Amino acid sequence: QVQLVESGGGLVQAGGSLTLSCEASGSIFSFDDMGWYRQAPGKQRESVAHISGGDTYTFADFAEGRFTISVGNAENTLYLQMNSLESEDTGTYYCHVASIRAGVWSDYWGQGTQVTVSS
């Protein structure tokens, strides 16, 4: 069973920065896809940024140019660096990893970390 533990959320003023961390119980690179999602109150969960196949980076339009996704040197921590934060970035941010073996996808979610951006 994979465990993902997020941290780094908090309250920040608009224009500020936060770095979210997601520590996995094993190597992040053992997964075929890893990324971050977010969910604002009353809205559906949406994709923020992903690393697929170890070297393909994908960002939502709102994240492009402001957010960076990376894996730590120990290869068990996924980061989301968020800059120029806006009030619309407020929400709960979730770490997600997925792998496919013999044609079957398995995926795991963290518990979420709250980000609140004050305007």
Side-chain angles (χ1 to χ4, degrees):
Q1 182 73 15
V2 175
Q3 291 186 328
L4 304 172
V5 179
E6 298 109 329
S7 60
L11 175 64
V12 64
Q13 289 188 332
S17 299
L18 278 177
T19 298
L20 306 183
S21 301
C22 171
E23 186 170 352
S25 55
S27 172
I28 287 285
F29 281 118
S30 67
F31 297 97
D32 298 292
D33 185 87
M34 45 197 164
W36 292 90
Y37 288 76
R38 73 182 187 184
Q39 187 167 18
K43 294 187 177 181
Q44 289 188 331
R45 191 172 297 189
E46 61 182 350
S47 174
V48 177
H50 287 262
I51 304 175
S52 301
D55 60 3
T56 300
Y57 292 70
T58 305
F59 294 88
D61 288 344
F62 62 80
E64 192 76 52
R66 297 191 301 131
F67 295 1
T68 302
I69 186 172
S70 63
V71 178
N73 291 334
E75 297 188 357
N76 69 332
T77 305
L78 184 68
Y79 297 100
L80 183 69
Q81 170 71 41
M82 305 186 292
N83 299 321
S84 302
L85 285 163
E86 305 166 351
S87 57
E88 292 78 11
D89 296 316
T90 293
T92 303
Y93 284 68
Y94 299 89
C95 177
H96 176 261
V97 296
S99 60
I100 183 168
R101 300 291 182 268
V104 178
W105 279 97
S106 298
D107 69 329
Y108 304 90
W109 293 91
Q111 83 286 354
T113 185
Q114 177 67 35
V115 172
T116 303
V117 183
S118 63
S119 57

